[in-house]
Amino acid sequence: MTETHLHGPVLILGTGLLGASVGLGLSRQGVDVLLSDPSPTAEAIAQDIGAGRILGGGEHDVAALQPQLVVVAAPPDVAAAVVADALRTYPEATVVDIASVKASILAALRQAADAGEIAPEDLSRYVGTHPMAGREKSGPAAARGELFTAMPWVVCAHADASPAAVRTAADLGADLGATVVRMDAAEHDAAVALVSHFPQIASSLLASRLMNAPAHALSLAGNGLRDTTRIAASDPRLWIQILSHNAPEVVKILHGLREDLNRLIATLEDPGAEGALLDLAKLMEEGNAGQARIPGKHGSPPRAFAVVTVIVDDRPGQIARLLADVGEAGVNLEDLRMDHSSGHQVGMVEISVLPGRSEELTQYLSDRQWKVIQ
Protein backbone atom coordinates (compact mmCIF):
# COMPACT_ATOMS: atom_id res chain seq x y z
CA MET A 1 0.00 0.00 0.00
CA THR A 2 1.52 3.31 -1.08
CA GLU A 3 1.92 6.11 1.43
CA THR A 4 -0.59 8.93 0.95
CA HIS A 5 -0.46 12.63 1.71
CA LEU A 6 -4.00 12.63 3.11
CA HIS A 7 -4.69 10.93 6.44
CA GLY A 8 -8.49 11.33 6.41
CA PRO A 9 -11.23 11.05 7.10
CA VAL A 10 -12.32 12.31 3.69
CA LEU A 11 -16.01 13.01 3.19
CA ILE A 12 -17.31 12.83 -0.38
CA LEU A 13 -20.59 14.63 -1.08
CA GLY A 14 -21.94 13.16 -4.29
CA THR A 15 -21.37 9.57 -5.39
CA GLY A 16 -21.68 9.78 -9.15
CA LEU A 17 -18.90 8.74 -11.53
CA LEU A 18 -16.29 11.22 -10.27
CA GLY A 19 -17.17 11.16 -6.58
CA ALA A 20 -17.25 7.37 -6.42
CA SER A 21 -13.99 7.19 -8.40
CA VAL A 22 -12.32 9.53 -5.89
CA GLY A 23 -13.61 7.30 -3.09
CA LEU A 24 -12.35 4.14 -4.77
CA GLY A 25 -8.92 5.60 -5.39
CA LEU A 26 -8.49 6.79 -1.79
CA SER A 27 -10.06 3.74 -0.13
CA ARG A 28 -7.71 1.39 -1.95
CA GLN A 29 -4.83 3.30 -0.35
CA GLY A 30 -6.23 2.92 3.13
CA VAL A 31 -7.71 6.41 3.51
CA ASP A 32 -10.89 6.50 5.60
CA VAL A 33 -13.65 7.65 3.20
CA LEU A 34 -17.23 8.57 4.07
CA LEU A 35 -19.93 8.91 1.42
CA SER A 36 -23.06 11.02 1.18
CA ASP A 37 -25.48 11.51 -1.70
CA PRO A 38 -29.10 12.67 -2.04
CA SER A 39 -29.80 9.33 -3.70
CA PRO A 40 -29.75 6.37 -1.27
CA THR A 41 -29.32 4.07 -4.26
CA ALA A 42 -26.22 5.90 -5.47
CA GLU A 43 -24.79 5.81 -1.93
CA ALA A 44 -25.42 2.09 -1.63
CA ILE A 45 -23.82 1.29 -4.98
CA ALA A 46 -20.78 3.41 -4.15
CA GLN A 47 -20.39 1.60 -0.84
CA ASP A 48 -20.85 -1.80 -2.48
CA ILE A 49 -18.05 -1.18 -4.98
CA GLY A 50 -15.65 -0.19 -2.20
CA ALA A 51 -15.64 3.61 -2.55
CA GLY A 52 -16.12 4.14 1.20
CA ARG A 53 -18.79 3.90 3.90
CA ILE A 54 -22.09 5.72 3.97
CA LEU A 55 -22.00 8.70 6.33
CA GLY A 56 -23.97 7.92 9.50
CA GLY A 57 -24.07 4.25 8.72
CA GLY A 58 -21.09 3.18 10.82
CA GLU A 59 -18.90 4.34 13.67
CA HIS A 60 -18.88 7.96 12.52
CA ASP A 61 -21.71 10.12 13.84
CA VAL A 62 -22.66 12.84 11.37
CA ALA A 63 -22.59 15.62 13.94
CA ALA A 64 -19.28 14.50 15.49
CA LEU A 65 -17.40 13.90 12.24
CA GLN A 66 -14.45 16.22 11.71
CA PRO A 67 -13.09 15.37 8.27
CA GLN A 68 -9.71 16.52 7.09
CA LEU A 69 -11.17 17.10 3.63
CA VAL A 70 -14.63 17.42 2.11
CA VAL A 71 -14.88 16.68 -1.61
CA VAL A 72 -17.96 18.19 -3.22
CA ALA A 73 -18.78 16.08 -6.27
CA ALA A 74 -22.01 17.85 -7.13
CA PRO A 75 -23.21 19.24 -10.49
CA PRO A 76 -22.28 22.86 -11.28
CA ASP A 77 -25.75 24.25 -10.61
CA VAL A 78 -25.72 23.16 -6.95
CA ALA A 79 -21.97 22.92 -6.24
CA ALA A 80 -21.66 26.37 -4.63
CA ALA A 81 -24.58 25.71 -2.26
CA VAL A 82 -23.15 22.32 -1.24
CA VAL A 83 -19.70 23.86 -0.69
CA ALA A 84 -21.19 26.64 1.46
CA ASP A 85 -23.09 24.12 3.57
CA ALA A 86 -19.94 22.02 4.01
CA LEU A 87 -17.94 25.08 5.11
CA ARG A 88 -20.57 25.80 7.78
CA THR A 89 -20.97 22.18 8.92
CA TYR A 90 -17.28 21.24 9.10
CA PRO A 91 -15.40 24.31 10.38
CA GLU A 92 -12.00 22.60 10.49
CA ALA A 93 -12.11 20.93 7.07
CA THR A 94 -10.68 21.96 3.73
CA VAL A 95 -13.49 21.89 1.19
CA VAL A 96 -12.90 21.34 -2.52
CA ASP A 97 -15.27 20.90 -5.40
CA ILE A 98 -14.50 18.90 -8.54
CA ALA A 99 -16.98 20.51 -10.91
CA SER A 100 -15.81 21.29 -14.45
CA VAL A 101 -16.37 25.05 -14.15
CA LYS A 102 -14.71 27.22 -11.53
CA ALA A 103 -15.37 30.96 -11.92
CA SER A 104 -19.15 30.81 -11.46
CA ILE A 105 -18.84 28.67 -8.31
CA LEU A 106 -16.25 31.00 -6.76
CA ALA A 107 -18.40 34.03 -7.62
CA ALA A 108 -21.43 32.43 -5.96
CA LEU A 109 -19.41 31.69 -2.81
CA ARG A 110 -18.15 35.27 -2.65
CA GLN A 111 -21.76 36.46 -2.92
CA ALA A 112 -22.70 34.09 -0.09
CA ALA A 113 -19.93 35.58 2.05
CA ASP A 114 -21.04 39.13 1.24
CA ALA A 115 -24.62 38.20 2.19
CA GLY A 116 -23.50 36.73 5.51
CA GLU A 117 -24.54 33.19 4.54
CA ILE A 118 -21.00 32.01 5.26
CA ALA A 119 -18.24 33.72 7.22
CA PRO A 120 -15.76 35.52 4.96
CA GLU A 121 -12.88 33.70 6.67
CA ASP A 122 -14.46 30.37 5.73
CA LEU A 123 -13.54 31.03 2.11
CA SER A 124 -9.90 30.48 3.07
CA ARG A 125 -10.70 26.78 3.45
CA TYR A 126 -12.25 26.45 -0.01
CA VAL A 127 -10.27 25.53 -3.14
CA GLY A 128 -11.76 24.81 -6.54
CA THR A 129 -10.34 21.80 -8.36
CA HIS A 130 -11.10 19.98 -11.58
CA PRO A 131 -9.92 16.50 -12.54
CA MET A 132 -9.65 16.35 -16.35
CA ALA A 133 -10.97 12.81 -16.53
CA GLY A 134 -14.25 11.08 -17.18
CA ARG A 135 -16.14 8.50 -19.17
CA GLU A 136 -19.15 8.52 -21.45
CA LYS A 137 -20.90 6.40 -18.81
CA SER A 138 -22.22 7.99 -15.62
CA GLY A 139 -23.11 6.93 -12.10
CA PRO A 140 -21.21 5.06 -9.38
CA ALA A 141 -21.36 1.73 -11.23
CA ALA A 142 -19.08 3.26 -13.88
CA ALA A 143 -16.51 4.46 -11.31
CA ARG A 144 -12.87 3.45 -11.60
CA GLY A 145 -10.22 3.95 -8.94
CA GLU A 146 -7.57 4.54 -11.61
CA LEU A 147 -9.70 7.08 -13.51
CA PHE A 148 -7.40 9.98 -12.59
CA THR A 149 -4.05 8.25 -13.09
CA ALA A 150 -1.69 10.47 -15.09
CA MET A 151 -4.55 12.86 -15.90
CA PRO A 152 -4.40 16.63 -15.17
CA TRP A 153 -5.85 17.68 -11.81
CA VAL A 154 -6.33 21.45 -11.95
CA VAL A 155 -6.08 23.35 -8.66
CA CYS A 156 -7.62 26.84 -8.86
CA ALA A 157 -6.50 28.64 -5.73
CA HIS A 158 -8.22 32.01 -5.23
CA ALA A 159 -6.62 35.00 -3.56
CA ASP A 160 -8.09 34.27 -0.12
CA ALA A 161 -7.32 30.54 -0.02
CA SER A 162 -4.97 29.47 2.77
CA PRO A 163 -1.70 27.74 1.83
CA ALA A 164 -2.77 24.73 3.91
CA ALA A 165 -6.04 24.38 1.99
CA VAL A 166 -4.27 24.69 -1.35
CA ARG A 167 -1.75 22.05 -0.30
CA THR A 168 -4.55 19.68 0.75
CA ALA A 169 -6.32 20.17 -2.59
CA ALA A 170 -3.09 19.36 -4.44
CA ASP A 171 -2.47 16.35 -2.17
CA LEU A 172 -5.84 14.92 -3.19
CA GLY A 173 -4.85 14.96 -6.86
CA ALA A 174 -1.41 13.54 -6.09
CA ASP A 175 -2.83 10.69 -3.98
CA LEU A 176 -5.10 9.72 -6.87
CA GLY A 177 -2.13 9.52 -9.24
CA ALA A 178 -3.03 12.66 -11.18
CA THR A 179 -0.72 15.39 -12.46
CA VAL A 180 -1.40 18.56 -10.48
CA VAL A 181 -1.73 21.74 -12.56
CA ARG A 182 -2.28 25.21 -11.07
CA MET A 183 -4.44 27.87 -12.75
CA ASP A 184 -6.72 30.65 -11.62
CA ALA A 185 -10.45 30.16 -12.13
CA ALA A 186 -10.80 32.43 -15.19
CA GLU A 187 -7.79 30.88 -16.90
CA HIS A 188 -9.16 27.40 -16.21
CA ASP A 189 -12.61 28.17 -17.61
CA ALA A 190 -11.15 29.63 -20.81
CA ALA A 191 -8.91 26.59 -21.24
CA VAL A 192 -11.60 23.95 -20.72
CA ALA A 193 -13.99 25.85 -22.99
CA LEU A 194 -11.49 25.30 -25.79
CA VAL A 195 -10.20 21.78 -25.10
CA SER A 196 -13.29 20.16 -23.55
CA HIS A 197 -16.54 22.08 -23.85
CA PHE A 198 -16.20 23.15 -27.48
CA PRO A 199 -15.24 19.63 -28.67
CA GLN A 200 -18.36 18.30 -26.93
CA ILE A 201 -20.53 20.82 -28.79
CA ALA A 202 -18.84 20.05 -32.11
CA SER A 203 -19.23 16.31 -31.59
CA SER A 204 -22.89 16.62 -30.60
CA LEU A 205 -23.71 18.88 -33.55
CA LEU A 206 -22.01 16.49 -35.95
CA ALA A 207 -23.78 13.46 -34.49
CA SER A 208 -27.14 15.21 -34.68
CA ARG A 209 -26.73 15.34 -38.49
CA LEU A 210 -26.89 11.52 -38.45
CA MET A 211 -30.36 11.20 -36.90
CA ASN A 212 -32.18 11.01 -40.22
CA ALA A 213 -29.31 9.69 -42.33
CA PRO A 214 -30.17 6.69 -44.52
CA ALA A 215 -28.85 3.35 -43.32
CA HIS A 216 -26.85 2.76 -46.51
CA ALA A 217 -24.95 5.99 -45.87
CA LEU A 218 -24.14 5.06 -42.26
CA SER A 219 -22.92 1.64 -43.41
CA LEU A 220 -19.96 3.43 -45.00
CA ALA A 221 -18.88 4.98 -41.70
CA GLY A 222 -15.31 4.38 -40.57
CA ASN A 223 -13.06 5.42 -37.70
CA GLY A 224 -13.14 9.08 -38.70
CA LEU A 225 -16.84 9.38 -37.93
CA ARG A 226 -16.60 7.17 -34.84
CA ASP A 227 -13.70 9.21 -33.45
CA THR A 228 -15.34 12.58 -34.00
CA THR A 229 -18.72 11.54 -32.54
CA ARG A 230 -17.54 9.38 -29.62
CA ILE A 231 -18.14 12.01 -26.94
CA ALA A 232 -21.57 12.82 -28.35
CA ALA A 233 -22.74 9.88 -26.22
CA SER A 234 -22.08 11.88 -23.01
CA ASP A 235 -24.79 12.64 -20.46
CA PRO A 236 -26.81 15.61 -21.80
CA ARG A 237 -28.10 16.56 -18.33
CA LEU A 238 -24.59 17.25 -17.08
CA TRP A 239 -23.56 19.12 -20.23
CA ILE A 240 -26.54 21.45 -20.03
CA GLN A 241 -25.17 22.66 -16.67
CA ILE A 242 -21.55 22.81 -17.78
CA LEU A 243 -22.28 24.84 -20.90
CA SER A 244 -24.65 27.24 -19.17
CA HIS A 245 -22.12 27.91 -16.39
CA ASN A 246 -19.26 28.49 -18.82
CA ALA A 247 -21.33 30.19 -21.52
CA PRO A 248 -19.23 33.40 -21.85
CA GLU A 249 -16.04 31.48 -22.66
CA VAL A 250 -17.80 29.01 -24.96
CA VAL A 251 -19.53 31.79 -26.88
CA LYS A 252 -16.19 33.43 -27.67
CA ILE A 253 -15.05 30.23 -29.38
CA LEU A 254 -18.36 29.76 -31.19
CA HIS A 255 -18.09 33.26 -32.64
CA GLY A 256 -14.72 32.28 -34.09
CA LEU A 257 -16.19 29.05 -35.44
CA ARG A 258 -19.04 30.99 -37.05
CA GLU A 259 -16.53 33.17 -38.88
CA ASP A 260 -14.70 30.08 -40.15
CA LEU A 261 -17.97 28.45 -41.23
CA ASN A 262 -19.11 31.56 -43.07
CA ARG A 263 -15.75 31.69 -44.82
CA LEU A 264 -16.00 28.00 -45.79
CA ILE A 265 -19.59 28.29 -46.97
CA ALA A 266 -18.76 31.28 -49.14
CA THR A 267 -15.84 29.40 -50.67
CA LEU A 268 -17.79 26.21 -51.38
CA GLU A 269 -20.73 28.10 -52.86
CA ASP A 270 -18.39 29.04 -55.70
CA PRO A 271 -15.42 26.63 -55.62
CA GLY A 272 -14.41 27.66 -59.13
CA ALA A 273 -13.84 31.29 -58.15
CA GLU A 274 -10.36 32.73 -58.18
CA GLY A 275 -8.53 31.88 -54.96
CA ALA A 276 -11.23 29.45 -53.74
CA LEU A 277 -9.05 26.35 -53.83
CA LEU A 278 -6.21 28.23 -52.15
CA ASP A 279 -8.56 29.26 -49.36
CA LEU A 280 -9.64 25.62 -48.90
CA ALA A 281 -6.00 24.57 -48.73
CA LYS A 282 -5.28 27.23 -46.11
CA LEU A 283 -8.26 26.09 -44.03
CA MET A 284 -7.04 22.48 -44.04
CA GLU A 285 -3.48 23.58 -43.27
CA GLU A 286 -4.72 25.59 -40.30
CA GLY A 287 -6.36 22.41 -39.04
CA ASN A 288 -3.12 20.49 -39.53
CA ALA A 289 -1.20 23.13 -37.59
CA GLY A 290 -3.67 23.15 -34.71
CA GLN A 291 -3.81 19.37 -34.45
CA ALA A 292 -0.02 19.19 -34.39
CA ARG A 293 0.04 21.34 -31.24
CA ILE A 294 -1.88 18.79 -29.15
CA PRO A 295 0.59 17.28 -26.66
CA GLY A 296 1.67 13.74 -27.41
CA LYS A 297 2.18 10.67 -25.26
CA HIS A 298 2.66 11.37 -21.51
CA GLY A 299 2.11 15.10 -22.21
CA SER A 300 5.34 15.32 -24.19
CA PRO A 301 5.67 17.64 -27.21
CA PRO A 302 3.77 16.28 -30.21
CA ARG A 303 5.78 14.09 -32.55
CA ALA A 304 4.96 12.37 -35.80
CA PHE A 305 4.75 8.59 -35.57
CA ALA A 306 5.05 6.10 -38.38
CA VAL A 307 2.01 3.87 -38.89
CA VAL A 308 2.26 0.18 -39.70
CA THR A 309 -1.11 -1.15 -40.93
CA VAL A 310 -1.86 -4.86 -40.53
CA ILE A 311 -4.81 -6.81 -41.94
CA VAL A 312 -6.23 -9.06 -39.21
CA ASP A 313 -8.78 -11.86 -39.63
CA ASP A 314 -11.89 -11.35 -37.53
CA ARG A 315 -11.53 -14.33 -35.23
CA PRO A 316 -10.66 -14.78 -31.55
CA GLY A 317 -7.07 -14.34 -30.44
CA GLN A 318 -5.77 -12.48 -33.48
CA ILE A 319 -5.25 -9.11 -31.81
CA ALA A 320 -3.55 -10.73 -28.81
CA ARG A 321 -1.20 -12.64 -31.12
CA LEU A 322 -0.39 -9.50 -33.09
CA LEU A 323 0.42 -7.50 -29.96
CA ALA A 324 2.57 -10.34 -28.67
CA ASP A 325 4.54 -10.31 -31.92
CA VAL A 326 4.98 -6.54 -31.71
CA GLY A 327 6.38 -7.01 -28.20
CA GLU A 328 8.70 -9.79 -29.33
CA ALA A 329 9.99 -7.48 -32.05
CA GLY A 330 11.20 -5.14 -29.31
CA VAL A 331 9.32 -2.19 -30.79
CA ASN A 332 7.41 0.09 -28.43
CA LEU A 333 3.77 0.60 -29.41
CA GLU A 334 2.99 4.32 -29.20
CA ASP A 335 -0.67 4.14 -30.24
CA LEU A 336 -3.18 1.66 -31.64
CA ARG A 337 -6.29 2.03 -33.77
CA MET A 338 -8.62 -0.60 -35.14
CA ASP A 339 -11.16 -0.45 -37.92
CA HIS A 340 -13.40 -3.13 -39.39
CA SER A 341 -13.81 -3.56 -43.11
CA SER A 342 -17.50 -3.28 -44.00
CA GLY A 343 -18.78 -6.51 -45.55
CA HIS A 344 -15.61 -8.51 -44.90
CA GLN A 345 -14.49 -10.68 -42.01
CA VAL A 346 -11.26 -8.74 -41.55
CA GLY A 347 -10.12 -5.61 -39.81
CA MET A 348 -7.25 -3.19 -40.07
CA VAL A 349 -4.98 -2.50 -37.11
CA GLU A 350 -2.91 0.69 -37.29
CA ILE A 351 0.17 0.47 -35.09
CA SER A 352 1.95 3.77 -34.40
CA VAL A 353 5.68 3.49 -33.71
CA LEU A 354 8.71 5.76 -33.79
CA PRO A 355 9.62 6.53 -37.42
CA GLY A 356 12.97 4.78 -37.18
CA ARG A 357 11.36 1.48 -36.17
CA SER A 358 8.60 1.12 -38.78
CA GLU A 359 10.63 -0.74 -41.42
CA GLU A 360 12.01 -3.10 -38.78
CA LEU A 361 8.51 -3.87 -37.47
CA THR A 362 7.09 -4.27 -40.98
CA GLN A 363 9.74 -6.84 -41.84
CA TYR A 364 9.35 -8.68 -38.54
CA LEU A 365 5.57 -9.00 -38.90
CA SER A 366 5.79 -9.95 -42.58
CA ASP A 367 8.22 -12.76 -41.70
CA ARG A 368 5.55 -14.09 -39.34
CA GLN A 369 2.95 -14.17 -42.10
CA TRP A 370 1.04 -11.06 -41.10
CA LYS A 371 -0.50 -9.13 -43.99
CA VAL A 372 1.16 -5.74 -43.73
CA ILE A 373 -0.01 -2.94 -46.00
CA GLN A 374 3.02 -1.31 -47.60
Side-chain angles (χ1 to χ4, degrees):
M1 188 178 295
T2 54
E3 185 176 350
T4 61
H5 299 85
L6 299 176
H7 55 75
V10 174
L11 171 61
I12 299 176
L13 303 178
T15 56
L17 168 66
L18 294 184
S21 294
V22 170
L24 272 173
L26 294 178
S27 293
R28 289 176 182 175
Q29 298 183 67
V31 177
D32 185 19
V33 176
L34 282 300
L35 307 168
S36 178
D37 193 284
S39 167
T41 301
E43 281 184 335
I45 294 173
Q47 179 173 256
D48 288 346
I49 65 173
R53 294 176 292 109
I54 295 175
L55 178 63
E59 62 187 74
H60 287 287
D61 179 72
V62 176
L65 177 65
Q66 290 299 328
Q68 174 194 13
L69 172 66
V70 178
V71 179
V72 173
D77 63 341
V78 297
V82 178
V83 167
D85 184 65
L87 289 171
R88 290 190 295 264
T89 304
Y90 306 106
E92 303 299 322
T94 294
V95 179
V96 306
D97 77 283
I98 57 174
S100 55
V101 291
K102 298 272 76 85
S104 63
I105 294 173
L106 178 59
L109 289 170
R110 290 196 183 284
Q111 289 178 356
D114 291 341
E117 297 170 8
I118 58 174
E121 58 270 20
D122 284 345
L123 275 180
S124 68
R125 295 185 288 111
Y126 163 73
V127 181
T129 73
H130 179 206
M132 298 294 293
R135 304 181 68 193
E136 285 75 51
K137 299 178 180 180
S138 60
R144 297 290 183 271
E146 64 280 0
L147 184 67
F148 311 104
T149 302
M151 303 300 290
W153 187 285
V154 188
V155 174
C156 299
H158 57 91
D160 300 319
S162 73
V166 176
R167 184 167 56 252
T168 299
D171 286 346
L172 173 62
D175 284 349
L176 292 169
T179 300
V180 176
V181 179
R182 298 177 187 269
M183 293 182 175
D184 65 38
E187 183 183 18
H188 164 274
D189 286 3
V192 295
L194 179 62
V195 304
S196 177
H197 304 169
F198 173 56
Q200 176 66 50
I201 292 172
S203 181
S204 295
L205 290 176
L206 174 58
S208 72
R209 298 294 89 201
L210 307 177
M211 287 193 301
N212 299 314
H216 67 268
L218 294 177
S219 69
L220 303 178
N223 270 355
L225 185 64
R226 294 187 187 97
D227 288 349
T228 51
T229 59
R230 178 182 61 83
I231 58 175
S234 299
D235 184 356
R237 295 167 297 179
L238 176 61
W239 277 101
I240 289 171
Q241 296 186 39
I242 292 173
L243 294 176
S244 63
H245 275 257
N246 204 22
E249 296 298 336
V250 173
V251 166
K252 293 176 187 177
I253 299 168
L254 292 179
H255 281 313
L257 175 65
R258 181 169 62 186
E259 293 176 4
D260 286 342
L261 284 174
N262 287 338
R263 166 187 163 193
L264 177 60
I265 290 170
T267 299
L268 291 178
E269 284 178 337
D270 189 6
E274 183 178 355
L277 297 183
L278 176 61
D279 192 52
L280 285 176
K282 288 181 178 178
L283 182 65
M284 301 304 291
E285 289 170 358
E286 289 167 7
N288 293 158
Q291 196 278 336
R293 295 196 63 208
I294 300 174
K297 185 178 178 183
H298 307 312
S300 61
R303 60 166 36 158
F305 295 123
V307 176
V308 177
T309 303
V310 184
I311 302 296
V312 178
D313 293 333
D314 190 9
R315 65 174 191 264
Q318 289 295 93
I319 301 298
R321 186 167 71 87
L322 174 60
L323 294 180
D325 283 348
V326 173
E328 289 177 7
V331 177
N332 192 48
L333 189 154
E334 304 291 341
D335 201 357
L336 180 74
R337 291 166 53 89
M338 293 186 291
D339 195 10
H340 287 282
S341 179
S342 181
H344 299 276
Q345 295 301 310
V346 298
M348 289 187 296
V349 178
E350 296 180 350
I351 302 169
S352 295
V353 298
L354 294 177
R357 307 300 300 274
S358 61
E359 291 186 10
E360 174 188 350
L361 180 60
T362 296
Q363 185 62 54
Y364 189 91
L365 294 178
S366 297
D367 290 345
R368 279 151 185 76
Q369 308 306 310
W370 289 103
K371 301 172 185 175
V372 182
I373 299 177
Q374 300 291 341

